[in-house]
Amino acid sequence: MTLRSLFIPITLLLVIAFLIGPFLIIVAASFSAGETLAFPPQGFSLRWIAKVFTVESFRASFGMSLFLAIGGTAVALVLGIPASYALSRYKLPGAEIVRTIVSAPIIVPGIIVGLALLRYIVVPFQVGITLALFLAHTALVLPYAVRVVSASLDNLRSDIEEAAVLLGSSRIGAFFRVVMPNIRGGIMSAFILGFVTSFNQVPVSLFLSGPGVRTLPVDMIAYMEIVFDPSVAALSSLLAFLSIGIVFIAERFLGFSRYV
Amino acid sequence: MSDASYLSLEKLTLAYGDSVAVANLDLDIRKGELIALLGPSGCGKTTTMRAIAGLLAVKSGHVRLDGADITRVPANKRAVGLMFQSYALFPHLSVYENVAFGLKLKGMRGTELDTKVQSGLKSVGLSAFANRKPAELSGGQQQRVALARSMVMEPKVLLLDEPLSNLDARLRLEMRTELQRVQKETGVTMIFVTHDQAEALALADRIVVMKSGKIEQIGSPEDIYNRPTSSFVADFVGFENIFPLENGKMKTSAGLIDLSGKAPSAAGLAWRPRMVTLGTGPFQGTVRGTSFAGDAREYLLDTSFGPIKAEVEASQPTHALGAGLTFDLPAEKAAPLSRFV
Ligand SMILES: Nc1ncnc2c1ncn2[C@@H]1O[C@H](COP(=O)(O)OP(=O)(O)OP(=O)(O)O)[C@@H](O)[C@H]1O
Ligand SMILES: [Mg+2]
């Protein structure tokens, strides 16, 4: 074997190690029996995993994150599905520009979005913290919703709607009778992607969180600033496995990767 | 409403934005008639069908059906069926549910619905496939589902946009017969679009030949095949030797040429390759190409006034490439054209 032929496998291994390594370290650290977050872990125990469930603020912030992820994604879909439909079915002037603008938050760093929301929406309009977070998460998820739903709409021939109309359906009826059922997989995928994105979102939430109202990731950062025990690692592992589980199920039943 | 105008298009003009696709089209269709819309790509066949179905807004003019002006009636209230070239079956519904779709929207339920759907499926021979999804059917079967789905609605007019073009030759013949049978049994008025003149000739009661958004000629298959009235239609149905006339003489690149026999007063004359006499006649040509077509042999002749295509029975003696030949374009055999474009 030459050095040349080894180059690609070695690079691949390094990349995988780089991506998965930190995750493995954190998982290992969560089973530590020691008092502080450390690697390699000292001994083996489930005490930190158990502790996660007893921390009051984690429970509250987990609830908040869940609410934002589910509610925000749902609202983003309610807005995003009609928007995607209009973008894909009508040759609107400037549809490409709208597509670009709608997906802008994917490109723009979260910090900037958070700051902008805080500075120009939350402060001047005196928006409550929960509402602000909700709006921010909706706005963040919207691009993903539009993108994924658009992809599945583009794969669906538009003549089936005309066929439905000629069989007696109204235009709107045709949308619900033949379009929605055929993009269900795309909508579910958008929901899952939106959920995971919202749930893992840090920078925007960091700006908008206030006293007593925090998302889980922000709460974890706050917790770590005070207590440096392995429970944060334990919680991270739990969340990671939750995400992997969701994506695995989604891929299995929906062919998730077709849309993302 | 007279019998001759069950469906009539009156001065129908259709446009996409500012570009007019169909201009001032007049067409009257009898009840139960099978009409073929024939014409080259882009001539406005699909556009016309979509306007009849109500999927495209009419710019000016009227569409009348069964005595009522339906120009402004929305597509879902017209009782016009349309079969799409792509079939447009609902992928998430079974064959049964596809056929039941329109009936359910009409409010039909229970045994009445079931009877109707079952008989629709039976009429196209798909009873055994009721529970399949469209993706699990062959192209021909999908087509038949689409036909059943339209027909159970008992439309006043059934439009078919190139219904056979996605099928292979054998299936095409089978579906052609199927369409004819369904039309005979139900007496539904049908308009179908095709590129294929053989299909139009075989199926239609009348053929409408379109060109650039206008009707070139309407007539029976015999009319269109034997008596084209314009050079465009003549060319379309296989008259390969077409010349304009001037004072009874054939106008060619080599000047005015006298014809044998008396030329009718027409704008032009057209001959099928079969109509050209080879071996005798006043004209001289050189064999430029020859090809064997089973029961016939085709020759391409170089002449002083351009290429001429001739066809003779294969049993006739053959002529070698480069051989000189006399031939004739008999005026009395030619189709007289009233319009030369
Ligand atoms: N959606 C559209 N927007 C703009 N112009 C269109 C549209 N659809 C068709 N046209 C134009 O209208 C004219 C007629 O098109 P049409 O589709 O009716 O032709 P056709 O006879 O059905 O052709 P084909 O045999 O290729 O299907 C063409 O010049 C075409 O470019
Ligand atoms: Mg067409």
Side-chain angles (χ1 to χ4, degrees):
Chain A
M1 269 218 186
T2 63
L3 207 60
R4 227 180 145 75
S5 66
L6 280 176
F7 180 73
I8 290 176
I10 288 176
T11 316
L12 202 61
L13 275 177
L14 283 175
V15 168
I16 291 172
F18 188 73
L19 287 175
I20 301 202
F23 172 64
L24 294 179
I25 291 174
I26 287 171
V27 172
S30 20
F31 292 102
S32 169
E35 291 295 322
T36 55
L37 188 56
F39 186 84
Q42 301 135 313
F44 176 87
S45 83
L46 294 176
R47 60 187 278 218
W48 300 112
I49 305 261
K51 187 183 173 201
V52 167
F53 295 95
T54 66
V55 179
E56 186 60 40
S57 78
F58 282 169
R59 273 194 271 166
S61 58
F62 178 75
M64 174 52 77
S65 277
L66 212 56
F67 163 69
L68 293 176
I70 293 175
T73 305
V75 172
L77 280 172
V78 167
L79 298 173
I81 293 170
S84 313
Y85 183 77
L87 286 174
S88 95
R89 287 295 181 265
Y90 301 101
K91 290 199 179 55
L92 304 168
E96 267 322 298
I97 297 172
V98 174
R99 245 185 231 257
T100 311
I101 292 175
V102 169
S103 43
I106 298 182
I107 309 161
V108 178
I111 296 264
I112 294 175
V113 176
L115 185 62
L117 281 170
L118 182 67
R119 177 75 180 74
Y120 296 104
I121 308 266
V122 177
V123 175
F125 296 102
Q126 297 287 307
V127 180
I129 296 171
T130 309
L131 182 58
L133 277 171
F134 192 90
L135 292 178
H137 278 244
T138 304
L140 275 171
V141 169
L142 190 61
Y144 295 95
V146 170
R147 201 187 256 202
V148 176
V149 173
S150 292
S152 60
L153 274 172
D154 290 342
N155 286 333
L156 188 68
R157 300 190 58 106
S158 60
D159 51 15
I160 62 168
E161 292 158 58
E162 296 185 334
V165 167
L166 289 171
L167 291 168
S169 177
S170 64
R171 277 270 162 197
I172 291 177
F175 177 79
F176 286 105
R177 289 190 186 100
V178 304
V179 178
M180 285 292 274
N182 283 304
I183 59 167
R184 214 167 31 194
I187 293 174
M188 293 291 284
S189 297
F191 187 87
I192 289 163
L193 187 65
F195 180 94
V196 173
T197 305
S198 164
F199 205 91
N200 292 330
Q201 164 59 37
V202 175
V204 177
S205 305
L206 205 54
F207 273 99
L208 301 178
S209 290
V213 183
R214 278 177 185 157
T215 64
L216 187 56
V218 173
D219 198 30
M220 286 162 71
I221 294 171
Y223 181 89
M224 266 189 1
E225 282 168 0
I226 304 163
V227 191
F228 203 64
D229 68 17
S231 60
V232 169
L235 181 50
S236 301
S237 307
L238 288 175
L239 291 177
F241 282 116
L242 189 70
S243 293
I244 292 171
I246 291 174
V247 170
F248 180 76
I249 291 170
E251 179 59 42
R252 191 68 201 277
F253 294 102
L254 300 171
F256 188 55
S257 50
R258 269 186 302 154
Y259 302 105
V260 185
Chain B
M1 178 197 77
S2 73
D3 217 32
S5 54
Y6 182 66
L7 172 66
S8 49
L9 310 180
E10 294 169 11
K11 302 233 168 308
L12 198 64
T13 298
L14 308 167
Y16 296 99
D18 284 336
S19 81
V20 173
V22 169
N24 264 318
L25 190 101
D26 283 305
L27 181 60
D28 286 315
I29 294 170
R30 278 192 299 278
K31 188 170 182 169
E33 209 172 10
L34 211 173
I35 296 280
L37 218 53
L38 188 64
S41 190
C43 71
K45 305 181 296 289
T46 298
T47 305
T48 308
M49 301 282 254
R50 290 176 61 81
I52 298 172
L55 294 173
L56 179 73
V58 168
K59 179 142 186 160
S60 69
H62 293 273
V63 182
R64 283 180 221 285
L65 176 59
D66 198 8
D69 187 335
I70 59 165
T71 315
R72 308 267 167 245
V73 175
N76 56 345
K77 305 244 160 33
R78 281 193 180 192
V80 171
L82 174 61
M83 244 175 85
F84 294 80
Q85 188 178 355
S86 61
Y87 319 135
L89 297 177
F90 308 129
H92 64 297
L93 297 178
S94 67
V95 166
Y96 185 98
E97 291 297 328
N98 263 281
V99 176
F101 189 90
L103 297 174
K104 282 185 177 172
L105 284 172
K106 273 187 177 174
M108 205 178 277
R109 295 284 183 275
T111 49
E112 192 192 2
L113 175 69
D114 192 54
T115 313
K116 202 93 197 248
V117 174
Q118 296 292 4
S119 83
L121 286 174
K122 193 159 161 250
S123 76
V124 294
L126 285 178
S127 301
F129 298 88
N131 294 321
R132 296 243 193 130
K133 288 279 172 66
E136 299 159 0
L137 299 178
S138 73
Q141 290 166 338
Q142 292 184 29
Q143 177 110 52
R144 293 211 289 273
V145 177
L147 181 61
R149 186 177 68 176
S150 292
M151 285 308 298
V152 293
M153 298 298 288
E154 295 169 7
K156 289 180 173 170
V157 179
L158 181 61
L159 310 172
L160 306 103
D161 197 351
E162 305 197 31
L164 308 178
S165 63
N166 276 353
L167 306 175
D168 65 40
R170 198 183 56 81
L171 261 179
R172 203 178 304 186
L173 210 63
E174 204 174 287
M175 272 309 289
R176 198 198 263 184
T177 323
E178 180 101 1
L179 284 179
Q180 227 164 3
R181 185 183 58 76
V182 166
Q183 204 267 340
K184 280 253 163 54
E185 278 174 12
T186 59
V188 67
T189 308
M190 265 193 200
I191 307 178
F192 74 98
V193 163
T194 179
H195 273 122
D196 181 354
Q197 53 139 325
E199 203 170 284
L201 294 168
L203 269 178
D205 294 324
R206 275 197 303 162
I207 298 174
V208 177
V209 185
M210 287 183 71
K211 182 200 169 205
S212 341
K214 295 203 172 73
I215 292 179
E216 270 292 302
Q217 187 175 352
I218 306 178
S220 67
E222 289 79 11
D223 280 341
I224 300 291
Y225 190 77
N226 295 323
R227 292 175 287 280
T229 56
S230 74
S231 55
F232 175 80
V233 177
D235 184 42
F236 208 77
V237 297
F239 286 77
E240 292 185 69
N241 308 299
I242 305 175
F243 293 96
L245 275 187
E246 205 173 286
N247 304 325
K249 291 181 180 168
M250 196 168 83
K251 199 174 159 196
T252 72
S253 51
L256 294 179
I257 293 180
D258 276 322
L259 284 163
S260 66
K262 187 175 162 11
S265 58
L269 291 180
W271 292 265
R272 288 183 180 281
R274 280 260 176 199
M275 297 169 170
V276 179
T277 315
L278 274 195
T280 58
F283 306 121
Q284 191 67 37
T286 316
V287 178
R288 190 42 197 298
T290 165
S291 70
F292 179 62
D295 57 346
R297 185 173 284 280
E298 286 174 1
Y299 291 97
L300 181 66
L301 303 180
D302 250 347
T303 75
S304 58
F305 48 87
I308 291 291
K309 247 205 182 156
E311 190 185 286
V312 294
E313 273 178 33
S315 56
Q316 302 274 316
T318 59
H319 306 281
L321 273 183
L325 262 184
T326 53
F327 69 95
D328 192 10
L329 296 170
E332 70 280 4
K333 279 193 183 172
L337 309 173
S338 57
R339 263 170 314 132
F340 201 97
V341 281

